[in-house]
Amino acid sequence: MIKNISTTPFEGQKPGTSGLRKKVTVFQQPHYAENFIQSIFDSLQGFTGKTLVIGGDGRYYNREVIQTAIRMAAANGFGRVLTARGGLLSTPAASHLIRKYGAFGGIILSASHNPGGPDGDFGIKYNAGNGGPAPEKLTGEFFANTKKISSYKISDAADCNLDKLGASEIEGMTVEVIDPVSDYQKLMETLFDFDAIRALFKSGFRIRFDAMHAITGPYGHAILEDALGAPKGSVVNGTPLPDFGGHHPDPNLVHAKALYDLMMSAKGPDFGAASDGDGDRNLIIGKNQFVTPSDSLALLAANAHLAPGYSKGLAGVARSMPTSCAVDRVATKLGIKSFETPTGWKFFGNLLDAGMITMCGEESAGTGSNHVREKDGLWAVLLWLNILAKRRQSVADIVKEHWAEYGRNYYSRHDYEEVDADAANRLMKFLRDKLPSLKGEKAGALAVATADDFSYHDIVDGSDTANQGIRIIFDDGSRVIYRLSGTGTAGATLRVYIEKYEAKVLGLETQAALSDLIGFARGLASIAERTGRTEPTVIT
Ligand code: VG1
Ligand code: CO
């Protein structure tokens, strides 16, 4: 039976953020998840009888909310829910299912790289029919609806069995449980030369893929080990756990330190990679060679033609504003356009849909292409493997050759996590007010050429997005960027991005190469005085 439950308004997903992310305990409040899901449905039109994809990254509270979402989809008139065994779907796999099966949209339950478990984070996001994150116009409506919601519709049907493949029915709506990996694997087979990668592993090439007890475990086992012949055990932490084994499923040098240490040791394999909670991020480390995500994007763009899916070349590329400009140099050489967008995958969607770009990425370990409308961790790993299988050189040699050809964009991000939100906002306001007087300021031998608060005009839909980060550009193209995170769940996180281009001096240690700019960035914003922090929490 379908029920109308009366409820009270709340403040849901802030417009412009990718989903609603809060502590599990917040989501466990009565009606909380229901309110948000109904606010999403109330913003959509014309979905009666249509398909909704529902899945999540397996974190704590996933199963409960999937059952709730299914009951609510039925009560709201969807014709079919498509989900996967255990309700488990990586974000890129969900994006693919939406596209492949022509779904109206999808609900993805994840807080991405944020920790999980009863005291961890939970999240709900909506992806539209193109498979991509809801555009700003829609997230604005979700937010408005959360503030005026008065009731939600839900069926009182029993839980669906998510562990058995096949179809069942509730309130006349079909619920279909499919294998989470097989459609995604088929897509990867169309893009990459599986035979060449198989031959690479046969030749003795070794990989370690750290799934961080998150969603990519089953995908890694099936594709890397079973299909491509990497030895069993190549995929570690491959069983998704509700609390990610107590770890933080963020594939960076802090949270994937064990992988990093192994890759820097004599007994390390040839190639190391990791992915995050929901499977959209990637970390790439060669033997004795860490690859920054910004460099990885540039390298993948420069070598993409070696993979069958990209053999005809790239239409264009895009990077988020704080991402290093390394990929721009590749684009220039290839004679294609490089677009600069605000942080967040949704800004790539229109460019991908319009066929203006084929590949895109962010400094935060996100890379992807037009095969789906999300960043895709395992895809990046497979593209790297395809390139390695064709070039038969080490990661370190490929990286060094790339720098020799294009020069090196030294790059680092300094995060100050969980700082006082008011202090962080005051710091940003101070910088904003200071912008007009920054020209000519010195950082070592460099002088500020331009400074602005980044804004973006979307040439596809004509929309404008302002206040996307303080951007200070020096006379040699070096950059210092400040922005506040939109994904944290406690206090504010200040991100400072530092970049310096060197055409010839290629072998410096990153922090040393950036030291003048780091000193400038800290001094200009009085970070220590304003936040009480003399050092960042995380340096990547
Ligand atoms: C962070 C990253 C951003 C990424 C976003 C979502 O956002 O910086 O590049 O798109 O996370 O990634 P912020 O606002 O905290 O800087 V994920 O893996 O959470 O889907
Ligand atoms: Co993610």
Side-chain angles (χ1 to χ4, degrees):
M1 197 170 74
I2 292 171
K3 293 187 165 169
N4 244 325
I5 312 276
S6 61
T7 186
T8 43
F10 76 119
E11 198 165 276
Q13 175 179 12
K14 293 253 160 36
T17 55
S18 65
L20 181 64
R21 279 186 205 182
K22 298 277 179 196
K23 294 277 171 218
V24 166
T25 46
V26 173
F27 272 99
Q28 284 170 327
Q29 298 171 87
H31 311 308
Y32 193 89
E34 290 88 339
N35 277 351
F36 186 56
I37 293 169
Q38 188 66 50
S39 298
I40 294 174
F41 291 161
D42 287 347
S43 312
L44 309 174
Q45 273 134 33
F47 57 76
T48 305
K50 302 259 169 73
T51 298
L52 181 71
V53 170
I54 302 180
D57 65 5
R59 68 178 60 227
Y60 187 83
Y61 211 44
N62 224 305
R63 280 186 172 252
E64 289 84 343
V65 178
I66 287 183
Q67 297 289 355
T68 301
I70 292 172
R71 285 193 195 97
M72 291 184 66
N76 278 273
F78 277 95
R80 176 169 77 142
V81 157
L82 198 57
T83 186
R85 195 188 310 111
L88 296 177
L89 275 177
S90 77
T91 287
S95 178
H96 177 51
L97 289 184
I98 294 170
R99 297 166 63 77
K100 178 165 180 174
Y101 294 102
F104 186 86
I107 286 183
I108 302 176
L109 308 176
S110 171
S112 190
H113 53 288
N114 295 17
D119 304 317
D121 291 345
F122 192 77
I124 302 181
K125 61 178 175 172
Y126 177 76
N127 280 31
N130 73 343
E136 214 130 303
K137 191 179 157 289
L138 216 45
T139 56
E141 283 178 36
F142 299 166
F143 184 65
N145 283 336
T146 60
K147 294 208 287 192
K148 59 173 199 237
I149 189 165
S150 60
S151 71
Y152 62 85
K153 288 198 202 99
I154 190 161
S155 155
D156 62 2
D159 277 1
C160 295
N161 183 353
L162 298 177
D163 297 310
K164 198 170 141 258
L165 299 189
S168 59
E169 215 170 270
I170 78 166
E171 312 288 356
M173 181 189 83
T174 307
V175 179
E176 215 171 310
V177 181
I178 62 175
D179 179 79
V181 179
S182 71
D183 286 298
Y184 180 81
Q185 179 169 341
K186 281 189 199 118
L187 175 64
M188 294 300 118
E189 284 166 4
T190 67
L191 300 174
F192 302 118
D193 189 339
F194 271 44
D195 287 337
I197 302 174
R198 250 180 238 122
L200 180 72
F201 285 125
K202 250 212 174 97
S203 74
F205 181 93
R206 290 296 168 258
I207 182 177
R208 171 165 297 199
F209 178 75
D210 189 341
M212 304 189 91
H213 289 303
I215 193 67
T216 48
Y219 297 84
H221 284 306
I223 297 175
L224 298 171
E225 294 179 349
D226 299 345
L228 292 170
K232 293 270 177 222
S234 298
V235 175
V236 298
N237 302 324
T239 304
L241 297 176
D243 67 347
F244 306 120
H247 298 295
H248 197 138
D250 190 348
N252 63 28
L253 297 183
V254 175
H255 301 298
K257 186 163 185 309
L259 177 70
Y260 178 81
D261 290 344
L262 176 74
M263 296 308 299
M264 295 303 134
S265 76
K267 60 178 192 315
D270 303 287
F271 188 71
S275 191
D276 72 330
D278 63 332
D280 56 1
R281 296 187 177 202
N282 71 90
L283 173 73
I284 302 292
I285 314 177
K287 201 177 181 64
N288 293 313
Q289 181 68 58
F290 169 62
V291 188
T292 69
S294 295
D295 273 354
S296 181
L297 173 64
L299 276 149
L300 293 180
N303 291 282
H305 59 277
L306 298 173
Y310 308 95
S311 60
K312 294 198 183 75
L314 309 176
V317 290
R319 61 168 174 82
S320 66
M321 183 274 281
T323 303
S324 101
C325 302
V327 73
D328 298 1
R329 295 178 184 275
V330 174
T332 304
K333 179 132 193 200
L334 293 174
I336 57 176
K337 272 194 111 159
S338 180
F339 295 87
E340 184 176 43
T341 59
T343 293
W345 208 259
K346 61 180 174 294
F347 294 100
F348 296 134
N350 280 343
L351 297 169
L352 289 163
D353 285 347
M356 300 171 96
I357 60 169
T358 308
M359 197 176 277
C360 44
E362 297 191 274
E363 50 66 40
S364 53
T367 335
S369 87
N370 59 357
H371 69 290
V372 291
R373 291 296 179 274
E374 289 277 5
K375 52 190 185 268
D376 189 343
L378 200 50
W379 168 90
V381 173
L382 292 168
L383 180 49
W384 261 102
L385 289 172
N386 193 139
I387 291 165
L388 290 162
K390 291 288 179 187
R391 289 187 54 169
R392 295 289 176 129
Q393 290 170 284
S394 69
V395 173
D397 284 348
I398 290 177
V399 167
K400 281 172 188 136
E401 273 183 25
H402 186 91
W403 289 342
E405 184 172 353
Y406 296 95
R408 178 172 177 188
N409 290 71
Y410 287 96
Y411 185 85
S412 185
R413 186 176 96 185
H414 291 196
D415 292 336
Y416 299 80
E417 294 177 333
E418 297 191 25
V419 299
D420 178 69
D422 290 338
N425 286 322
R426 279 198 299 272
L427 183 151
M428 292 301 285
K429 179 174 186 309
F430 167 81
L431 289 171
R432 215 163 271 135
D433 293 345
K434 188 113 186 157
L435 285 172
S437 62
L438 283 180
K439 197 175 156 70
E441 292 264 332
K442 288 275 168 44
L446 307 177
V448 174
T450 60
D452 66 356
D453 190 350
F454 183 65
S455 61
Y456 177 66
H457 178 71
D458 186 318
I459 55 170
V460 181
D461 68 12
S463 63
D464 288 289
T465 311
N467 300 118
Q468 294 301 304
I470 302 293
R471 178 173 65 161
I472 301 173
I473 306 180
F474 292 82
D475 42 15
D476 71 338
S478 293
R479 304 190 305 162
V480 168
I481 292 147
Y482 305 81
R483 57 178 285 282
L484 298 184
S485 159
T487 60
T489 55
T493 293
L494 170 67
R495 303 201 197 284
V496 185
Y497 312 77
I498 310 115
E499 172 180 9
K500 183 170 190 343
Y501 176 71
E502 285 279 358
K504 295 212 163 60
V505 189
L506 306 176
L508 300 177
E509 191 276 322
T510 300
Q511 302 303 317
L514 298 172
S515 62
D516 283 345
L517 291 164
I518 292 170
F520 171 89
R522 292 183 184 180
L524 176 67
S526 306
I527 293 178
E529 292 80 351
R530 288 174 184 279
T531 67
R533 305 283 176 80
T534 52
E535 287 298 322
T537 336
V538 179
I539 295 181
T540 47

